[in-house]
Amino acid sequence: MTSPSQTAATKSDPPGLDSKGLKKTKDGKDGELVGRSPGQLMWRRFKRDRTGVICAVIVLAFFVVAALAPVIASVYGKNPYTFYGNEDPSLFDEFGYPMGANGGISGDFWFGIEPALGRDLFTSLIYGMRTSLGISVAVTILVVITGTLLGVTAGYVGGRTDYWLGRVIDFLLAFPSQLTFVAFMPVVVAFFIPPGDETPTYVRVVALILVQWALGWMGLARLLRGQVLSLREREFVEAAKITGASPWRIIRKELLPNVVTPILVQATYMLPLFVTAEAGLSFLGVGIMEPTPDWGRLFHTAGMVYENDPTFLLFPGAAMVIFVLCFNLLGDSVRDAFDPKSGR
C-alpha cells in the first residue's frame, strides 16, 4: 500500500525526476543526479520570458532583413537609387508630391515613393537599416573589446595603471557625446580626404565608427573595473595566485567568466544607442550622405516634406521605434535571465 504522503510527493514530482531530484530510469529506479550549467539555467529562464523571446525574434528579423537587403530588392524589382519619377512623371502632382494616396503607396511601391525624386521608400528603408545596423554592430564590437580589456586591466593591476586609466576615462566622459560627435566628424574625415575633394562613403563609415568607438567605451570600462576590484579579493583568485598562475591566466580563466553577464547586458543596451546616434549624425548632415541610403537620411528627408507628405515618416519612424524598444526589452530579459534576483 502507498501512504497518502508518498502519493502526494509522487504527483508533485517533475517529469523524469523523483522526490529526491534523481533522474528516473525506465524501470523506475533512481538514476544519476541531474545537474545544469549556469548557461543552461539562464537559457531556461530566458525561454520562459515571453516578452524576451518575442523581442529576440523581432530583433533577429531586423538583422536578417538588413543582411538580405540586396536579395529582397532584387525579388521586389526596385532599388533605392533609381529616380522612378523621371521614368514615369505621372507619379507626381504639379508640386512634386506623389499622386497616389498615403505617399504613393501601391502594389508597385509598397511604402510609397520619395517626393520630388521618386525613389522607392521600401528599398531605401531596408538598405538604410543595413547601413545603420552594420556601422552600429562594428562600433559595439570595438567598444566591448576595448572596454573589457581596459576595465579588467585597470581593476586587476591597480596602482598607477588604474590611476591613469581612471583619469583618461574621467577626461573622455567630460565630453558631451552628441555635440562631440558632430564636432569631430568633419575633423576625422579631413584626416583621410583633402578639403574640397568629394568624400567617399567608406571614409564616412570609417569616421563614424572611429568617433563613436573613441567616445563609447568608457562606461563599460568603468563598470568592469568596479566588478574586478571586488572579484580580485575573492578566495578563488587568491588560490590561483598561490598555485603560481600568471596574471593573464587569472584574468582569462578566473575574472572574465565572472564578468560575462554585465558585458552581454551592456552590449544589448549599447547597440540601439549607437543606432540612434548614427542616425542622428546622418540626420544632421555629418554622417552618411547622399546617395547612400541611411536611416538618418530618411528622417532628414521626412523632416522637409512632413507637412505635405506625413506618410513618408511613418515607416522609417515606426521601424526605428520598434527596433530600439525591442532591443531594450531584450536587454532587460537577458539581465533577468542571468540574474533572477534583479527586478525590473
Side-chain angles (χ1 to χ4, degrees), residues 140-159:
T140 303
I141 292 173
L142 290 173
V143 165
V144 168
I145 293 174
T146 305
T148 301
L149 289 176
L150 296 182
V152 172
T153 300
Y156 179 72
V157 176

Side-chain angles (χ1 to χ4, degrees), residues 47 116 216:
K47 288 193 297 184

Side-chain angles (χ1 to χ4, degrees), residues 172-194:
L172 293 176
L173 286 174
F175 287 92
S177 59
Q178 295 296 333
L179 293 178
T180 306
F181 290 158
V182 174
F184 273 81
M185 268 297 298
V187 176
V188 175
V189 170
F191 277 115
F192 299 96
I193 303 297

Side-chain angles (χ1 to χ4, degrees), residues 10-324:
T10 303
K11 291 181 179 180
S12 62
D13 291 341
L17 300 179
D18 64 7
S19 59
K20 300 178 182 179
L22 298 176
K23 189 175 181 179
K24 294 179 180 178
T25 57
K26 291 183 180 180
D27 56 3
K29 295 181 180 180
D30 292 342
E32 71 276 8
L33 283 170
V34 175
R36 294 186 177 89
S37 67
Q40 291 174 324
L41 293 174
M42 184 278 293
W43 179 241
R44 286 171 60 87
R45 287 193 292 265
F46 180 77
K47 288 193 297 184
R48 289 198 295 265
D49 189 341
R50 291 185 179 179
T51 301
V53 172
I54 293 173
C55 289
V57 172
I58 294 175
V59 167
L60 180 62
F62 269 89
F63 280 103
V64 170
V65 170
L68 298 179
V71 178
I72 296 173
S74 177
V75 175
Y76 175 57
K78 301 288 190 301
N79 66 75
Y81 305 104
T82 301
F83 297 159
Y84 294 100
N86 294 338
E87 298 179 356
D88 185 5
S90 63
L91 294 174
F92 293 122
D93 61 16
E94 57 182 319
F95 302 104
Y97 289 97
M99 284 288 293
N102 299 317
I105 295 177
S106 65
D108 294 328
F109 302 97
W110 294 352
F111 289 0
I113 56 177
E114 180 181 353
L117 300 179
R119 289 180 292 197
D120 179 69
L121 179 56
F122 174 71
T123 53
S124 296
L125 176 58
I126 61 176
Y127 270 83
M129 288 164 44
R130 189 169 184 246
T131 302
S132 298
L133 293 181
I135 293 173
S136 301
V137 168
V139 174
T140 303
I141 292 173
L142 290 173
V143 165
V144 168
I145 293 174
T146 305
T148 301
L149 289 176
L150 296 182
V152 172
T153 300
Y156 179 72
V157 176
R160 291 188 175 183
T161 301
D162 182 25
Y163 175 81
W164 287 111
L165 282 176
R167 301 296 74 74
V168 171
I169 291 174
D170 292 338
F171 175 75
L172 293 176
L173 286 174
F175 287 92
S177 59
Q178 295 296 333
L179 293 178
T180 306
F181 290 158
V182 174
F184 273 81
M185 268 297 298
V187 176
V188 175
V189 170
F191 277 115
F192 299 96
I193 303 297
D197 292 353
E198 184 177 355
T199 304
T201 300
Y202 76 89
V203 172
R204 291 192 171 274
V205 170
V206 171
L208 280 168
I209 293 173
L210 291 178
V211 171
Q212 293 186 87
W213 168 49
L215 296 174
W217 58 269
M218 296 83 68
L220 179 61
R222 173 171 281 185
L223 173 66
L224 295 181
R225 171 188 174 272
Q227 295 275 340
V228 173
L229 281 175
S230 61
L231 287 173
R232 72 177 186 179
E233 305 299 332
R234 301 283 292 274
E235 294 81 0
F236 61 91
V237 175
E238 294 295 333
K241 291 180 180 178
I242 293 174
T243 60
S246 64
W248 169 242
R249 179 177 176 80
I250 293 174
I251 291 174
R252 184 166 53 92
K253 294 292 187 178
E254 307 295 341
L255 297 178
L256 283 179
N258 286 281
V259 295
V260 168
T261 299
I263 291 174
L264 289 178
V265 172
Q266 289 301 310
T268 58
Y269 287 135
M270 285 189 296
L271 195 145
L273 290 178
F274 289 133
V275 170
T276 55
E278 187 278 333
L281 290 173
S282 298
F283 175 83
L284 295 173
V286 294
I288 301 299
M289 304 295 290
E290 297 285 3
T292 304
D294 182 81
W295 229 336
R297 295 300 306 168
L298 292 176
F299 285 112
H300 178 79
T301 303
M304 296 187 296
V305 303
Y306 77 93
E307 291 184 351
N308 297 299
D309 187 10
T311 309
F312 190 86
L313 180 61
L314 174 63
F315 295 106
M320 177 70 76
V321 170
I322 292 172
F323 177 80
V324 173

